[in-house]
Amino acid sequence: MTRINGLLLAFISFFLQGMTLVAAQNPVYPEWKTNTEKRSINLKDLLTPGVTKDGIPAIDRPRFVSVKAASKWLSDNEPVIALQVNGVNRAYPLQILIWHEIVNDQIGGVPVIVTYCSICNSAIVFERKLGRRILSFGIAGFVHGSNMVMYDRETESWWQQFTGEAIVGDLLGMKLKPIPAQMISFAQFAKAFPNGQTLSRQTGFVRDYGSNPHFRYDNLEGRPSHFRGKPDSRLIPMEKVIGVEIGDKAKAYPYAISRARRVIYDRIGEQEMVIFHADGALSALDETDMKKSKPAGSTGVFEPFINGRRLTFGYQDGEFVDAETGSRWNISGKAISGKMQGKSLKRIAHGDYFAFAWLAFKPKTEIFTQ
């Protein structure tokens, strides 16, 4: 009997140790291997809006087609994320990204993650190489701060899309390096890069590409989705802004100003910049049929210098003209005619966001009002 009792106690002890181990691994999220003990956020602030882990499938093996081939199903004014890396030019249509949110890609020899969170209208590209490790990302199914949460498949750490920072898991505090990209129209991309590549609809998934599942979300009188915080009173929450961050300083340029002025010169710290806002791209978040949506425009942020010479720009017929040489420049910052033809302005990383999202993550941002 003593021996039986001893075995029973040993079994109970082993069982309890196993239960303790499982609980220590992840008591709240048993489907995850994530080390939730390491975190910079309150897990109670994570929302689960009916989407499970990988419920929105990332594109891991992207295929690309020519501009000519893409024009058969992609209208001229539809918005794309335009990315140029080491001489390779690619367009990622929002009609596809809105259904997948993440593309794990390699462009010009650089592993990248192309992301789009429709709640924030945040299209952001990061390098997915972290030290010597190349990460692969999926959609976690959580929303934090009204912004999508990503996860890396190597450690299952959770990452904030807006900041590119790991907020839960073993990689806590690590940050992905942002890569400058633009949201412009397909026609603008095709004209600037006629030999460029466009993400194919052959994704391996069946989705209603070309339709917007967030009908009339892009509405100044609307409300942010899944937003718990108190909106910053300085701007209408659903106003779009061009957001720029240099070092520890951030600034927001409301579309109401940039669309009216077309060209804005400004400085953040020591960084001088010129901001372009041209006609071209439609909103991705207006009508159900994306190609029937309202105009939003296309933006770019650049250093206004060529070989140390400062240029003064104006806007004319959808292009930009410098007063010094009369050369014409496109929204991608490239001179397409005149004495400067072939020259390109140096890009500055920026994004186009709903004001509530930018101000929630950059609360100390300065608002451009001139």
Side-chain angles (χ1 to χ4, degrees):
M1 181 64 69
T2 301
R3 184 172 181 273
I4 294 175
N5 287 339
L7 290 172
L8 181 61
L9 288 172
F11 173 77
I12 292 173
S13 176
F14 175 78
F15 177 77
L16 290 177
Q17 285 177 7
M19 291 295 291
T20 301
L21 178 61
V22 171
Q25 285 178 339
N26 217 313
V28 183
Y29 307 98
E31 73 276 24
W32 289 90
K33 296 182 293 184
T34 311
N35 181 1
T36 54
E37 293 300 313
K38 299 180 68 174
R39 58 183 184 269
S40 60
I41 64 169
N42 188 332
L43 295 180
K44 294 181 179 179
D45 292 334
L46 289 173
L47 302 181
T48 53
V51 179
T52 58
K53 177 183 180 183
D54 292 320
I56 298 174
I59 298 175
D60 295 321
R61 288 177 288 278
R63 297 180 179 181
F64 294 88
V65 297
S66 67
V67 164
K68 183 178 180 180
S71 66
K72 296 178 181 178
W73 48 266
L74 190 56
S75 63
D76 283 351
N77 289 344
E78 282 191 64
V80 302
I81 301 171
L83 180 63
Q84 298 89 49
V85 178
N86 295 333
V88 181
N89 307 296
R90 286 181 178 165
Y92 303 80
L94 290 196
Q95 67 154 261
I96 299 176
L97 262 293
I98 205 169
W99 293 98
H100 294 282
E101 299 189 348
I102 288 176
V103 179
N104 291 291
D105 197 9
Q106 181 160 310
I107 174 173
V110 179
V112 301
I113 172 176
V114 181
T115 71
Y116 179 66
C117 175
S118 55
I119 297 174
C120 301
N121 192 53
S122 49
I124 310 175
V125 179
F126 300 100
E127 186 173 338
R128 56 188 176 91
K129 184 177 181 180
L130 199 64
R132 296 182 178 180
R133 172 185 285 175
I134 296 177
L135 303 176
S136 174
F137 288 86
I139 292 88
F142 305 121
V143 171
H144 178 253
S146 196
N147 178 243
M148 68 180 280
V149 176
M150 316 180 295
Y151 79 95
D152 70 81
R153 294 174 178 136
E154 288 68 29
T155 72
E156 294 204 353
S157 296
W158 300 342
W159 300 73
Q160 189 82 62
Q161 184 253 2
F162 207 95
T163 62
E165 180 175 353
I167 54 176
V168 179
D170 288 333
L171 297 181
L172 177 68
M174 302 297 289
K175 288 188 176 182
L176 302 174
K177 179 183 177 182
I179 298 177
Q182 288 179 280
M183 202 183 299
I184 61 177
S185 75
F186 173 63
Q188 288 166 331
F189 175 83
K191 187 175 181 180
F193 310 105
N195 296 319
Q197 304 168 340
T198 304
L199 180 66
S200 169
R201 279 179 161 183
Q202 302 302 312
T203 61
F205 302 94
V206 177
R207 295 293 185 273
D208 192 10
Y209 298 131
S211 69
N212 161 36
H214 308 285
F215 179 65
R216 295 287 173 85
Y217 184 58
D218 187 355
N219 183 344
L220 283 176
E221 298 178 359
R223 294 184 178 181
S225 178
H226 305 296
F227 184 65
R228 284 182 170 180
K230 182 179 179 181
D232 192 309
S233 62
R234 292 179 292 171
L235 289 173
I236 298 172
M238 299 301 287
E239 164 74 295
K240 284 183 179 177
V241 300
I242 301 168
V244 183
E245 186 174 27
I246 306 294
D248 60 354
K249 296 181 180 180
K251 204 163 187 176
Y253 301 83
Y255 265 33
I257 298 176
S258 61
R259 288 182 71 178
R261 292 182 53 171
R262 301 297 189 181
V263 177
I264 295 174
Y265 280 88
D266 200 20
R267 180 187 297 272
I268 299 180
E270 298 299 317
Q271 179 64 67
E272 189 170 355
M273 64 187 71
V274 61
I275 297 172
F276 291 169
H277 195 145
D279 293 327
L282 302 176
S283 168
L285 300 166
D286 181 35
E287 295 292 339
T288 300
D289 185 348
M290 200 175 290
K291 64 178 178 290
K292 296 181 179 179
S293 290
K294 65 184 180 182
S298 306
T299 67
V301 182
F302 310 96
E303 293 185 3
F305 302 96
I306 291 292
N307 297 328
R309 184 183 188 184
R310 188 180 189 275
L311 300 179
T312 308
F313 291 96
Y315 183 74
Q316 188 178 90
D317 300 326
E319 295 169 343
F320 302 87
V321 183
D322 72 76
E324 287 71 21
T325 72
S327 299
R328 301 181 73 87
W329 304 70
N330 62 22
I331 190 63
S332 298
K334 184 176 181 178
I336 54 177
S337 67
K339 294 181 179 180
M340 292 286 183
Q341 185 171 0
K343 301 286 187 181
S344 293
L345 300 173
K346 184 177 180 180
R347 292 169 292 163
I348 295 175
H350 79 287
D352 302 84
Y353 314 103
F354 289 124
F356 81 88
W358 177 263
L359 294 173
F361 286 97
K362 314 290 181 183
K364 295 182 179 179
T365 197
E366 181 182 351
I367 309 294
F368 182 84
T369 59
Q370 298 180 15

